[in-house]
Structures are given as C-alpha cells and as structure tokens.
Amino acid sequence: MSSGSLTPTGSFAAVADRRRVVFATIIGTTVEWYDFFIYASAAGLVFGQLFFQPAGEQAAILLSFATVGVSFLFRPLGAFLAGHFGDKYGRRGVLVLTLILMGAATALIGLLPTFAQIGIAAPILLILLRIIQGISAGGEWGGAVLMAVEHAPTKKRGLFGASPQMGVPLGLLLASGMMAIMAVVAPGDAFLEWGWRVPFLLSIVLIAIGYWVRRSVEESPVFAELAQRKVKARMPIVQLFKKHTLLVVIAALVFAGNNAVGYMTTGGYIQNYATNPEGPLGLERGPVLWAVAGSAVTWLLSTLFAGWISDKIGRRTTYLAGWVLQLVGVFTLFPLVNTGSIGGLFAGIAILTIGLGLTYGPQAALYAELFPASIRFSGVSISYAIGAILGGAFAPTIATALVQTTGTTMSVTWYLAGMTALGLVATLLLRDRSGIPLGPDHEEEQAVSPLYASNRA
C-alpha cells in the first residue's frame, strides 16, 4: 500500500483511497440533499397550489410546509434502522441503500398527478413519498459522516468531516439552480404544469452517478477493525440509550440550533415569502431562486472553512464563534430581505450562511468524537435525527404561522434567535474532544462522558 497518514485505527491509508472517500462522500450527500431540498423548494413555490388548493390560500401554504416537516418525524426511524445495521454490518451498504430509496421517492414525486387530476389521493401519495425521503435522510447522514471521519488522518478530521456537510449547500445550490433554470425554460403557467417536475426526474441520473461512486469506496477502517475483532455491539441502540441518553439529547440540541435557522432557505420559507404575489415583496421567482443558489456558495465556503479551522482551534471554539455570527445573521436577515430588492435578499441570506457554515462544518467530526466506536453510527444518526425534528422539521411552518398571527417578521427573528441561543448553551455543556482516538482499542476512553455535568460513562 502506498504511504499515507495514520487512520483512526493506527493503520496507513493511501492518499488516493482517502481522496476517493472524500469525493464519494461529497457526491453522495449532494445527491441526497438535492433530492431533499428540491422538495422543500417546490413546497414553497408550487405544492400549495397543486396539491392543497381546496384548503384555501393561507392553509394550503401551511399544509405544504407541514409536509416538509412530516418527513422529519420519520428521520429517527431511518436513523434507528441505519444505526443498527450500520453498527452491525457496515457503513457502506447502508449508504448505498439510502441513496437508492431517496432517488426513487424523488423521481416518483416528479410523476405524481395533482389534486385536480386524482383528488385527495394526490396529497396522500405526496406525503407517503416524502416520508420515504425522511427515512432515507435519517439514515444517510450518519453513514456519510463516519465514512469521511473514520478514514481521516487524526489532524484532519474536521476537514474530512466537512465533506458530507458540504453536500447540504451543494444540494441547495443544485436544487435552487435547477428550479431557477426551469423558471426560465417554463415560465408562468408552464412551470406549474410541468416545469417543476423536471428537477425531480433528473434525480434518476444523479442517483446512478452516486451509486457508482459509493460502490467504489472501501468500508470504514474503524468498522473493518471492529468486525475483525468481533467486538461489535449486539444491540447498539439499546447500549446507546442505556449509557448515553443525555449526551444524545445535548448533541441533538446543538444541531437544532443550526437546523432551525438553516431551514429558512433549505425549507423553502424565504423562497415563498419573497415570491408570494399576495405578500409584501412579490418578487419574481427566477431571481429569488438565483439569490438562494448564490447563498449556497457562501454557505459552502464557510462550511469548508469551518471544518478546516476546527482542526486548528478545536470544534467547540469554532462552534462558539459560529453561534455569535449566526445570531448576527438572524437579526440582519429580514431587514435586508424586506428591502424588496434581490440584492438585499441575497445579502441577508448570504450573511446568515457565514454563521450557519461555522455551526455546521465541524459537526461531523464533533459527533464522531462524542460516541464509542461500537455504537457510533447509532449515536451520530439518532442525535442528528432528533436535532432535525427539534430544529428544522417545522421551522418554515412555524415562521409562516408567526407572520400570519403577528403580521411582522420580527416574531420569526426572535424565534430563530431563541434556537440559536439553545444551540449555544448545548455547546457550552460539551467538552472539546478534538483528536480523541476513534478506533476500537480506545473504547474505554471514548465511553467517558464528554458532558461537563458528568465524568463517567
């Protein structure tokens, strides 16, 4: 084997192998999140009219955003299943399966008849397919994170761990870009009739690419060593909650603080708020989508920077700086968006993404370093899924309801500020474990609680 840096288990991994893992992780998560976000974008732009129109205009938007949130309720199921099988049988197989499930559900949404064509069956089928997306997303992240971090050299875990995190802004960029292109290709009524379907059907091609890439990657070295030594946990989820319940909750709250704010764009809220012809702005659909796509680039760069800098200054310090910047972004978001210009809209969400990147880029490495090797897949997956429910699941629905009730976006600002503060407090409760050995030889050290409230596993 060619020379390379030490992996978490102490063996050497070829540079080419590590690069392949990073590439496969980025491609796979980008495809997964493209599928997930294309739904959220369509929920903010067309689903209310096509699937929920009989409920009335305001109720249709709420119901449309609620279907975005419903999928989050099934993420824990995907996390439980993926965590169990990932800890017992390996990370790679789970990743391939989640990719196929997500892609199939997305493509089928692109073929769905509308309420006008088949009545109540249309929204029911839409919700069922969104549930499948939620199950897939719940299992995807943990496996992608561990493939990246467990292959990484110890001093580059944050950077390697940023690769699955980059899939989120890249997926948003791709989803928003495709929607923006279709808004030009199929303007007006044509977008409602067929234009929105094309990005969903494109998923078939993306899934084929993602499948080919992921099948070419070797299994995680940590899991390979666990399997060789036959030290895998029999019931990893039972062991996780028996010994680390509080840690799972605190880790989930860290993500919730980021996710609620992030879903202002990834959940489709800003897109709907800015383009609603009955709303205060009434901007054109295409320029708004391009502004969101542009903000995905700034989010991508800040996420990559955060992973890199967390290897230098620690995960905890990076997070704390991120929470402060995220709070700044929260309070500048709507004043800039409400200027009614595309430039103001872009500036508002671009500033927001700086803090979002700093509180998301280090998350893969942070989570991987919190849990023992034998239950790590379960720990990171379930913490992430619970955090997604507490944070982003119904953030667009809550924001819509708050504005409808109060008549002002300031209520949304305070809601997002509260979620940011929650993430900050949760981070303060965690010790920094940057660089802790991840291999099975160090399970005893890994099992010591990283919470300041406890010194025991």
Side-chain angles (χ1 to χ4, degrees):
M1 181 177 289
S2 61
S3 62
S5 300
L6 283 172
T7 66
T9 62
S11 61
F12 281 90
V15 172
D17 291 339
R18 297 200 307 270
R19 288 176 178 169
R20 190 182 303 115
V21 169
V22 170
F23 178 71
T25 302
I26 292 175
I27 294 296
T29 52
T30 298
V31 171
E32 281 267 356
W33 290 116
Y34 166 84
D35 288 344
F36 204 72
F37 294 153
I38 206 71
Y39 183 101
S41 183
L45 296 172
V46 299
F47 282 170
Q49 299 173 66
L50 298 179
F51 293 94
F52 302 101
Q53 190 174 24
E57 184 178 339
Q58 288 193 337
I61 290 298
L62 285 172
L63 288 171
S64 184
F65 281 143
T67 66
V68 175
V70 162
S71 68
F72 285 78
L73 301 180
F74 288 85
R75 277 197 188 187
L77 175 59
F80 272 81
L81 293 172
H84 175 78
F85 291 111
D87 280 328
K88 287 183 69 69
Y89 303 112
R91 290 38 166 153
R92 189 178 69 168
V94 170
L95 283 176
V96 171
L97 180 59
T98 57
L99 190 71
I100 293 172
L101 277 176
M102 179 70 85
T106 303
L108 288 172
I109 290 172
L111 297 172
L112 269 185
T114 64
F115 189 97
Q117 294 170 314
I118 61 172
I120 193 66
I124 291 174
L125 290 172
L126 181 69
I127 292 170
L128 288 175
L129 291 171
R130 182 59 175 174
I131 287 171
I132 293 174
Q133 282 191 323
I135 293 172
S136 174
E140 153 71 19
W141 189 80
V145 161
L146 296 188
M147 287 295 286
V149 175
E150 291 180 346
H151 272 93
T154 301
K155 294 183 179 180
K156 293 185 177 180
R157 280 185 202 150
L159 183 60
F160 274 61
S163 60
Q165 307 303 83
M166 289 164 60
V168 171
L170 282 171
L172 178 62
L173 173 63
L174 191 57
S176 296
M178 277 304 303
M179 280 293 192
I181 290 171
M182 292 314 301
V184 175
V185 174
D189 291 340
F191 188 83
L192 285 173
E193 291 172 5
W194 61 270
W196 69 271
R197 297 180 183 273
V198 175
F200 284 85
L201 298 175
L202 178 64
S203 176
I204 298 172
V205 177
L206 297 178
I207 292 303
I209 296 171
Y211 175 82
W212 175 75
V213 170
R214 280 194 169 170
R215 288 287 296 175
S216 68
V217 175
E218 296 294 328
E219 181 59 84
S220 157
V222 170
F223 180 81
E225 194 165 336
L226 284 169
Q228 183 179 5
R229 300 184 183 191
K230 299 181 179 180
V231 293
K232 295 177 287 183
R234 286 188 176 182
M235 295 295 290
I237 293 173
V238 173
Q239 294 299 314
L240 174 69
F241 282 104
K242 182 179 179 180
K243 298 180 179 180
H244 303 284
T245 300
L246 183 57
L247 176 58
V248 168
V249 172
I250 297 300
L253 292 177
V254 171
F255 181 45
N258 165 279
N259 201 229
V261 178
Y263 257 76
M264 288 300 95
T265 53
T266 58
Y269 178 77
I270 289 294
Q271 293 91 317
N272 174 262
Y273 177 78
T275 60
N276 184 356
E278 305 299 324
L281 302 181
L283 298 174
E284 293 183 18
R285 183 186 295 132
V288 169
L289 288 168
W290 282 122
V292 173
S295 73
V297 175
T298 59
W299 193 358
L300 171 68
L301 295 175
S302 63
T303 298
L304 180 61
F305 172 78
W308 173 79
I309 198 66
S310 76
D311 287 324
K312 311 295 182 184
I313 64 175
R315 322 293 176 222
R316 191 171 184 267
T317 302
T318 304
Y319 259 99
L320 294 178
W323 293 127
V324 173
L325 291 174
Q326 183 172 301
L327 195 62
V328 171
V330 163
F331 279 102
T332 58
L333 176 62
F334 284 106
L336 287 168
V337 169
N338 287 334
T339 62
S341 69
I342 294 298
L345 173 74
F346 171 71
I349 53 182
I351 292 170
L352 189 68
T353 62
I354 297 173
L356 283 173
L358 287 172
T359 57
Y360 194 59
Q363 185 174 348
L366 174 78
Y367 270 27
E369 291 167 339
L370 291 179
F371 297 99
S374 59
I375 58 171
R376 187 171 293 137
F377 200 142
S378 297
V380 300
S381 295
I382 293 170
S383 297
Y384 188 85
I386 295 173
I389 292 176
L390 297 175
F394 296 102
T397 309
I398 292 170
T400 301
L402 284 171
V403 172
Q404 289 181 4
T405 302
T406 66
T408 173
T409 53
M410 183 53 68
S411 57
V412 181
T413 297
W414 285 112
Y415 159 61
L416 298 178
M419 294 302 297
T420 300
L422 185 65
L424 170 62
V425 171
T427 303
L428 290 171
L429 295 175
L430 292 173
R431 291 186 174 90
D432 195 314
R433 303 225 294 189
S434 301
I436 188 174
L438 297 182
D441 285 341
H442 302 274
E443 282 259 348
E444 185 175 348
E445 179 182 355
Q446 296 160 9
V448 175
S449 175
L451 297 174
Y452 274 108
S454 173
N455 291 316
R456 301 178 61 185

